[in-house]
Amino acid sequence: MSGARKAAPGRIRIIGGSLRNSRLEVPDLPGLRPTADRVRETLFNWLAPMIDGARCLDLCAGTGALGIEALSRGAASVQFVERDPRAAQALRDNLARLKATNGEVVALDAAQFLRGVPRAQDLVFLDPPFALELWPALTRQLEQGGWLAAQAWIYVESPRTTVPALPPNWQLYRDGHAGEVRFALYRRALPLS
């Protein structure tokens, strides 16, 4: 869930890849703010050399636009985690309509999901509802719970004036701003023992 502003219910489009120009149905739900097109375009330009074949986790998925964009551009698989059952069902419907069989939707709270059995991911999209300030807890669970590959990439979206406290071994690769949103891509380094 994120973006510079609350989008009107309706549709958003996939920017690139095999599903380019496909439209995603967006339900009218409080706080559901899809990541803006220009932010997704910038992010996936940054990720172009590493997205093909990546195992991805779209945590707090909302519309799933980030994960579906990753599938469109060659990611091997995406797990979408979304706590709102209506948003999760809309995401399942969009994946089915697009015939994106390598996407799996889990209707569960992100923190609860991360207490489950981990699967190391190459790329994680972390875009929690801003008002809940979940970054410290979720990033700790990702780092300590076995969810990240040795040199995983982590995308973090937050309010423009907020740089969330993140694990010290997450190194900033690139960042930017769009409207009231800060978006940043980090690379995980192995923690010092």
Side-chain angles (χ1 to χ4, degrees), residues 161-183:
T161 57
T162 303
V163 178
L166 303 174
N169 59 311
W170 290 15
Q171 301 168 348
L172 180 63
Y173 174 69
R174 293 184 111 166
D175 67 346
H177 298 91
E180 297 302 312
V181 172
R182 174 183 184 265
F183 55 97

Side-chain angles (χ1 to χ4, degrees), residues 119-142:
R119 289 192 281 183
Q121 305 291 326
D122 302 309
L123 172 61
V124 175
F125 301 105
L126 180 59
D127 185 12
F130 292 176
L132 299 181
E133 299 184 9
L134 297 172
W135 299 277
L138 295 179
T139 59
R140 189 170 40 254
Q141 284 183 280
L142 284 167

Side-chain angles (χ1 to χ4, degrees), residues 2-185:
S2 71
R5 67 193 180 296
K6 183 180 186 298
R11 295 180 168 193
I12 55 175
R13 71 182 178 93
I14 298 302
I15 306 293
S18 63
L19 300 173
R20 183 176 184 207
N21 291 326
S22 297
R23 301 287 178 172
L24 303 181
E25 299 294 330
V26 178
D28 185 11
L29 298 172
L32 187 64
R33 294 162 294 143
T35 300
D37 286 5
R38 77 176 195 176
V39 173
R40 281 186 286 124
E41 185 170 11
T42 299
L43 170 62
F44 283 94
N45 285 339
W46 294 345
L47 289 171
M50 59 283 267
I51 194 73
D52 193 44
R55 296 160 302 174
C56 306
L57 175 61
D58 192 347
L59 207 51
C60 308
T63 64
L66 292 169
I68 293 173
E69 193 80 51
L71 289 173
S72 180
R73 294 171 186 250
S77 63
V78 178
Q79 259 192 315
F80 298 87
V81 179
E82 174 51 48
R83 69 180 180 171
D84 186 293
R86 295 164 298 172
Q89 187 57 52
L91 181 48
R92 283 187 193 99
D93 293 345
N94 279 323
L95 288 169
R97 186 174 45 77
L98 296 172
K99 297 178 176 56
T101 57
N102 47 351
E104 173 194 5
V105 179
V106 179
L108 205 56
D109 173 78
Q112 186 178 357
F113 172 81
L114 292 175
R115 287 192 290 272
V117 178
R119 289 192 281 183
Q121 305 291 326
D122 302 309
L123 172 61
V124 175
F125 301 105
L126 180 59
D127 185 12
F130 292 176
L132 299 181
E133 299 184 9
L134 297 172
W135 299 277
L138 295 179
T139 59
R140 189 170 40 254
Q141 284 183 280
L142 284 167
E143 181 59 40
Q144 297 173 359
W147 289 98
L148 301 174
Q151 294 186 313
W153 295 90
I154 307 101
Y155 170 76
V156 179
E157 228 175 269
S158 61
R160 184 181 185 106
T161 57
T162 303
V163 178
L166 303 174
N169 59 311
W170 290 15
Q171 301 168 348
L172 180 63
Y173 174 69
R174 293 184 111 166
D175 67 346
H177 298 91
E180 297 302 312
V181 172
R182 174 183 184 265
F183 55 97
L185 184 62

